Amino acid sequence: MNRKITYIAGLVCLVILLAHACKKDGAGNTGTIPLPQPVTLQLPAGFPDPVYDFTQNPLTKEGIALGRYLFYDYRLSADSTISCGFCHQQFAGFGHFDHPLSHGVLGRQGSRTVPGIFNMIYMKAFMWDGGVNNLEIQPLTPLTDPNEMGVDLKELLKKMQGDPNYRKMFLAAFGTEEVTSQRMFRAITQFVATMVSGNSKYDSVINKVGGATFSAEEQAGYNVFQLKCAACHKEPLFTDQTYRSNGLPINVLQDVGRMRITNNTADYIKFKVPTLRNVLKSQPYMHDGRFYDIYQVFDFYDHGVVVTATTDPLVKNGISLTDAEKRQLYFFLNTLTDYTLLQNPAFSEVPIQ
């Protein structure tokens, strides 16, 4: 009898183990589904702790792969012409190199330039006006904006659910084939979260890696930067994440900046201070892309600032820059270029099946 009980107990344990090892996917197929492989993100020395909470969306190899696939899939737009990667180009610091304003479906045009989207895990809010404060929700805006990707989210999810390759990738990343907006946004977030820029020459010098040093002109430019730019473009992220009016005249599009979000006149034509990392690879500049060359930016701060009621006190008198200082600043800003980010094949476009 004892042997029989032991035998039955053994069978029960075996059934339980098989039940855990074999799951049904969304199509009702039963088979062994490998657990997603965890990924540990290597963060740069000297950086602050990430703002993004990874506990609710831990990085996995399969989640990142799905996010990368989504990022470069043109079919996510209404007319299958625009992907996230169309606007956020890797070689341009995940901004858009040749368009002052964002381009969208049906030949439409947005009202602002495309911001770079690296180091997003350190940001408190997103977009030029801070209108989104959750990294997982940020993709919703470009996906549904009629001047960007212009897609109906419900129809998009239905289309993706009907795609065998997407079902396979969602199964690998999340355990079932079900396609939901939360899973889609979390996968994109996982991919974007890996876009960390902290491996420039500047970082090597600051962290004393491999005996790296600034040249004489780079060091002089760093001195100019610390004296005249660092109050807003704080190291190591090279932004203080505030919203400021820097003296740009309001453009013909009448973009009122952060005031559109807060309805507070004190925020009139205030925009988020952009990072200067990879700045020489991410022209055009300013929220509306009005400057194509970094020297135009230098000239603007030197003698182009227009004072309004909300112009930031730090720039209302301009920022005096000699020709020598402009040249030195250029050389320093070049040390902020992170070729590891710009050339990493892990971030490059993937073929869409």
Side-chain angles (χ1 to χ4, degrees), residues 122-264:
Y122 299 103
M123 299 297 118
K124 302 171 185 176
F126 310 94
M127 320 291 276
W128 280 102
D129 53 22
V132 178
N133 61 10
N134 187 318
L135 184 55
E136 292 181 20
I137 303 301
Q138 196 281 328
L140 179 64
T141 298
L143 276 171
T144 58
D145 190 312
N147 292 322
E148 294 190 49
M149 298 174 78
V151 77
D152 180 287
L153 190 58
K154 184 178 179 180
E155 290 300 314
L156 173 62
L157 295 175
K158 181 179 178 181
K159 181 169 66 174
M160 292 169 63
Q161 189 70 68
D163 185 316
N165 193 54
Y166 267 124
R167 292 200 303 270
K168 177 181 177 182
M169 296 186 77
F170 273 85
L171 173 64
F174 297 107
T176 74
E177 292 184 349
E178 184 182 11
V179 177
T180 68
S181 58
Q182 183 186 63
R183 287 179 167 186
M184 175 174 65
F185 293 155
R186 283 189 170 181
I188 293 173
T189 298
Q190 286 194 42
F191 177 55
V192 171
T194 66
M195 298 176 185
V196 175
S197 183
N199 194 32
S200 64
K201 179 177 180 178
Y202 160 85
D203 297 295
S204 295
V205 173
I206 294 299
N207 295 313
K208 298 179 173 57
V209 176
T213 59
F214 288 136
S215 70
E217 284 194 292
E218 290 167 350
Q219 182 62 57
Y222 187 33
N223 296 340
V224 174
F225 167 82
Q226 291 179 307
L227 181 65
K228 301 188 177 185
C229 312
C232 297
H233 297 283
K234 290 186 179 297
E235 301 169 68
L237 297 176
F238 287 87
T239 171
D240 64 357
Q241 303 195 52
T242 60
Y243 304 88
R244 300 174 186 260
S245 172
N246 65 347
L248 277 179
I250 191 168
N251 62 21
V252 295
L253 298 172
Q254 297 295 300
D255 189 341
V256 298
R258 185 156 174 77
M259 192 176 87
R260 189 172 74 175
I261 304 300
T262 65
N263 290 318
N264 186 340

Side-chain angles (χ1 to χ4, degrees), residues 52 68 75 97 152 174 184 311 316 350:
Y52 180 69
R68 181 183 178 191
R75 296 172 300 173
F97 176 76
D152 180 287
F174 297 107
M184 175 174 65
T311 301
K316 68 179 182 179
V350 292

Side-chain angles (χ1 to χ4, degrees), residues 34-41 57-64 172-173 190:
L35 293 175
Q37 300 179 48
V39 170
T40 300
L41 191 60
N57 185 27
L59 296 180
T60 66
K61 178 181 177 181
E62 294 78 7
I64 294 168
Q190 286 194 42

Side-chain angles (χ1 to χ4, degrees), residues 24 36 44 51 63 79 100 112 121 138 147 161 167 189 194 263 278 305 332:
K24 286 186 177 181
V51 173
D79 62 359
R112 293 173 180 168
I121 59 173
Q138 196 281 328
N147 292 322
Q161 189 70 68
R167 292 200 303 270
T189 298
T194 66
N263 290 318
N278 302 297
V305 171
F332 169 68

Side-chain angles (χ1 to χ4, degrees), residues 37-87:
Q37 300 179 48
V39 170
T40 300
L41 191 60
Q42 299 299 317
L43 300 178
F47 272 41
D49 292 334
V51 173
Y52 180 69
D53 181 7
F54 285 99
T55 62
Q56 301 302 310
N57 185 27
L59 296 180
T60 66
K61 178 181 177 181
E62 294 78 7
I64 294 168
L66 173 58
R68 181 183 178 191
Y69 192 83
L70 287 160
F71 189 84
Y72 285 109
D73 192 350
Y74 286 79
R75 296 172 300 173
L76 268 61
S77 64
D79 62 359
S80 296
T81 62
I82 305 294
S83 68
C84 303
F86 171 83
C87 285

